[in-house]
Amino acid sequence: MMNYWRNVFYIVVVLLTYSCKKEEKPAVYKPRFVLEGWIEKDDYPYVIVTHNLPFFTAIDSAQLAEVIIRYAKVTVSDGVETEVLTGTTDKRYFPYFLYRGYSLKGKTGGNYKLKVEYAGNTLEAETSIPKRTPLDSIWFVSKPKNTMQLNVRFKDAAEDKNYYRLYTKLEREKSFIPTLLANQNDQYFNGKELRLQVNRGPESNLTSKHDPYFIKGDTVMVKFSGIPQTGFEFWNSFQDEVLNGSNPLVGSTKALKTNIKGPGVGIWCGYASTVYRVIAK
């Protein structure tokens, strides 16, 4: 999946920036947890738990290490099986510490409850995994300087309310990155075919410098995910904050639409994903 730490870090920044926008003086720092968890069809649950920082904190490697919550009790249940996730290191992500399952796997139509307990605090959330929707076709269009733009096409299922999220990465890279305008709601194309010209998203939300195209000959992995409504609402509000943050004339107008209950912010989301391997040609 995507580089989750970049998203978690930006959630912290967005949360604290939003709390300060409407006051002449910075708001008093309120400790809150920042949570990002996911469960994919045919895969185990993963959860990253951190806490926020005061807005003007100087951030270095030592400070980043301290935001990681290492001793929480993280439980996921599908209504039949309940598993306490195991804290472990995983160098595919930064920070490198997360909680993961080893027995409970995601299934289409499954509902999954998350509970995080730490230092007398409890955070809870619930998500589901929708049906998969396949991409019908993937192709590239030539752009200047030997670059190629990705295009995709799929048919939305008329009988369901659907939400989608799209990612790409080069085959050699570890993490999927959301494309620009990665989130789709079938409100305006229910039951119809949708064609998208896809621009790559930046590797970091802290920079605006990126190339929206691939190089001719690149081996590209495309990930297309169905997500529940709560996942769409969170990622869409997150996307709005990223776009607004790059525009000095537009400020934050509303909080992230988190589905976390308790003293925290973030997302617990189910994904019905399909991954495609294509050559940019």
Side-chain angles (χ1 to χ4, degrees):
M1 296 194 69
M2 71 205 77
N3 189 318
Y4 282 85
W5 170 245
R6 281 193 289 266
N7 287 328
V8 170
F9 180 81
Y10 198 79
I11 291 168
V12 175
V13 174
V14 167
L15 175 65
L16 293 172
T17 301
Y18 178 77
S19 68
C20 300
K21 284 248 180 204
K22 297 183 179 180
E23 300 184 39
E24 294 181 0
K25 296 181 179 180
V28 176
Y29 167 61
K30 295 181 180 180
R32 298 186 73 181
F33 295 97
V34 181
L35 186 153
E36 186 166 5
W38 63 96
I39 181 167
E40 296 216 37
K41 184 181 183 301
D42 300 324
D43 201 1
Y44 305 108
Y46 294 81
V47 180
I48 295 174
V49 186
T50 61
H51 64 78
N52 62 353
L53 295 169
F55 187 75
F56 294 105
T57 299
I59 299 175
D60 55 24
S61 58
Q63 185 68 69
L64 288 176
E66 290 185 4
V67 306
I68 304 170
I69 304 298
R70 294 180 174 82
Y71 303 107
K73 180 180 179 181
V74 181
T75 307
V76 174
S77 174
D78 64 1
V80 177
E81 179 182 357
T82 298
E83 181 179 12
V84 177
L85 307 192
T86 301
T88 185
T89 57
D90 190 328
K91 293 185 178 180
R92 293 177 298 172
Y93 306 101
F94 184 77
Y96 50 82
F97 187 89
L98 51 72
Y99 300 85
R100 60 157 295 175
Y102 288 92
S103 63
L104 190 153
K105 281 189 175 183
K107 298 178 181 178
T108 298
N111 292 290
Y112 302 92
K113 292 183 178 181
L114 171 70
K115 178 184 286 189
V116 177
E117 300 169 275
Y118 178 76
N121 298 284
T122 300
L123 295 90
E124 296 180 298
E126 187 170 354
T127 193
S128 60
I129 298 179
K131 297 178 183 177
R132 280 177 174 166
T133 298
L135 292 176
D136 293 328
S137 57
I138 304 172
W139 71 99
F140 291 86
V141 174
S142 295
K143 293 292 181 179
K145 298 182 180 180
N146 206 37
T147 59
M148 310 288 288
Q149 182 172 44
L150 175 67
N151 291 258
V152 302
R153 181 175 61 212
F154 66 93
K155 177 71 178 295
D156 178 73
E159 64 272 16
D160 299 313
K161 178 60 182 174
N162 298 302
Y163 305 89
Y164 305 101
R165 190 159 163 82
L166 185 65
Y167 312 82
T168 63
K169 76 178 186 72
L170 297 178
E171 186 177 41
R172 64 177 178 270
E173 295 174 336
K174 293 181 179 180
S175 302
F176 281 97
I177 298 172
T179 63
L180 290 178
L181 304 178
N183 312 297
Q184 299 294 330
N185 175 353
D186 75 353
Q187 178 179 357
Y188 300 109
F189 58 88
N190 182 48
K192 300 178 181 179
E193 180 182 89
L194 182 66
R195 299 186 182 194
L196 296 173
Q197 290 185 337
V198 180
N199 289 333
R200 300 172 69 182
E203 292 186 3
S204 170
N205 288 315
L206 303 179
T207 179
S208 60
K209 295 181 179 180
H210 71 281
D211 189 340
Y213 306 130
F214 293 94
I215 303 298
K216 188 175 183 178
D218 279 344
T219 300
V220 181
M221 309 301 291
V222 180
K223 185 174 186 176
F224 188 53
S225 301
I227 58 177
Q229 181 177 352
T230 53
F232 172 81
E233 290 175 347
F234 173 84
W235 288 121
N236 210 46
S237 64
F238 179 91
Q239 178 178 273
D240 288 346
E241 289 292 350
V242 173
L243 295 175
N244 291 342
S246 64
N247 186 344
L249 301 178
V250 179
S252 298
T253 58
K254 53 187 176 182
L256 293 173
K257 293 185 178 180
T258 178
N259 67 345
I260 307 300
K261 297 178 181 179
V265 65
I267 184 66
W268 164 239
C269 189
Y271 296 85
S273 303
T274 305
V275 177
Y276 304 85
R277 181 181 181 273
V278 291
I279 306 297
K281 60 182 181 180

